[in-house]
Amino acid sequence: MWTHASWQGRLLPHPLPAGERLRAYATWCNAVEGNTTFYATPARSAVESWAGQTDPGFRFVIKLPKTITHERRLTGADEELRAFLDTMEPLGPRNHAFWIQLPGSFGPTDLGALAGFLRGLPRSHRYAVEVRHRAFFDDARSARFLERALAAVDAEWIPFDTTALFQRPPTSDAERDAWTKKPRVPRRSSALTERPIVRYIGRDDTAGTVEGWGHWIDTVVEWLREGRSPTVFVHTPDNADAPVLARRFHDEVRERLPEVEPLPEPMPSEPLTLF
């Protein structure tokens, strides 16, 4: 997302060479979703550049390629998985978790494949799973079986909270598009590990987004008080102001817990001048 067109020249300096854009984004937020890896594994040199542009404490949550999760459905993909993990190796400590997003058709009857896949993963990394099949949210037995498979390897369950998005009919083209693509599932906010990850999508109007994240402010504050280290990603359908909103979310948490470290000062979007 650090190359998002609407941020260039408005939130981030423009133009910037490709090898500097993530560095600028990292002055706004200290974590990023690696979503493009779902479509294609990047060159190792690109991943080396990502590492070079960020501090060791920066968090990448990198999505596994769709060839593994959607096409192979976690079976018979050993070669693709090894190549992917090798490519991501330069991130080192920045690799906060590998994000295993499963298709909406991946349901309770597929849990055996998930459990086997998770058991075969290297223990040198952390993993987090996002499911979209409704049964995992509506059927307590299916949810327990999923939690058991995750707990066996200390993997997290990533909630994707879309309740604010679907609270009222869409009012923009981006919201209408999101309505056709985002999962409509109940909110889930139980952490399984010490490093919970939250994906939240609000509305294109700031008020609707802020109104919808109150639950997560309370939850994140509670997690922090418990000694957990959560990572929260704030989206809107058009993502035009996502970095600003992420910082506002962080500020609201710090109002409750002043000991939480502040985010860095954003890089100016325009060159500094003397006059």
Side-chain angles (χ1 to χ4, degrees):
M1 286 298 294
W2 58 84
T3 60
H4 194 52
S6 70
W7 301 349
Q8 310 307 313
R10 187 171 63 90
L11 303 180
L12 305 178
H14 183 75
L16 276 179
E20 294 294 326
R21 293 171 188 168
L22 175 55
R23 191 187 309 278
Y25 168 88
T27 67
W28 278 86
C29 300
N30 55 11
V32 73
E33 291 178 347
N35 189 57
T36 58
T37 54
F38 179 71
Y39 302 100
T41 299
R44 187 181 173 95
S45 59
V47 181
E48 291 170 347
S49 173
W50 301 349
Q53 294 178 65
T54 52
D55 294 332
F58 188 87
R59 296 181 177 186
F60 286 85
V61 178
I62 300 288
K63 190 186 289 189
L64 262 62
K66 65 178 180 180
T67 53
I68 299 172
T69 57
H70 286 55
E71 296 173 13
R72 299 291 185 88
R73 297 175 70 88
L74 307 183
T75 59
D78 292 349
E79 184 176 339
E80 292 91 340
L81 178 63
R82 280 194 299 270
F84 179 75
L85 295 180
D86 179 68
T87 299
M88 295 299 144
E89 187 273 335
L91 291 180
R94 300 164 186 80
N95 181 19
H96 187 68
F98 283 117
W99 169 19
I100 305 168
Q101 185 188 89
L102 297 171
S105 60
F106 197 101
T109 59
D110 299 299
L111 281 178
L114 174 61
F117 179 79
L118 292 174
R119 286 195 300 268
L121 291 170
R123 292 292 175 267
S124 53
H125 302 296
R126 288 182 293 271
Y127 305 93
V129 175
E130 179 186 333
V131 292
R132 297 188 170 193
H133 195 289
R134 185 84 189 197
F136 292 121
F137 301 88
D138 293 341
D139 178 48
R141 186 168 178 265
S142 296
R144 283 197 305 272
F145 285 155
L146 174 57
E147 289 181 351
R148 192 175 303 165
L150 297 173
V153 295
D154 197 31
E156 189 54 81
W157 179 342
I158 300 180
F160 186 19
D161 183 6
T162 61
T163 53
L165 173 66
F166 290 112
Q167 191 168 31
R168 62 179 189 272
T171 59
S172 68
D173 288 342
E175 288 183 356
R176 281 185 282 273
D177 183 61
W179 264 49
T180 67
K181 296 177 179 177
K182 305 304 181 186
R184 190 184 298 227
V185 294
R187 180 194 292 136
R188 182 190 179 281
S189 53
S190 298
L192 301 181
T193 72
E194 296 305 303
R195 294 171 175 258
I197 299 170
V198 175
R199 305 184 66 229
Y200 166 77
I201 183 168
R203 306 284 300 207
D204 280 340
D205 66 285
T206 297
T209 299
V210 173
E211 179 184 2
W213 74 32
H215 167 85
W216 290 113
I217 297 291
D218 293 339
T219 300
V220 167
V221 168
E222 180 180 352
W223 284 341
L224 289 166
R225 285 174 174 160
E226 292 171 352
R228 302 181 196 267
S229 182
T231 305
V232 180
F233 296 109
V234 176
H235 290 272
T236 65
D238 64 11
N239 277 319
D241 294 317
V244 178
L245 290 164
R247 293 179 68 89
R248 178 168 175 177
F249 183 97
H250 189 272
D251 287 343
E252 289 193 19
V253 171
R254 290 192 73 233
E255 287 176 6
R256 303 264 294 273
L257 290 176
E259 62 269 29
V260 172
E261 291 186 10
L263 291 170
E265 284 299 313
M267 181 183 294
S269 58
E270 298 180 357
L272 295 177
T273 62
L274 295 177
F275 306 100

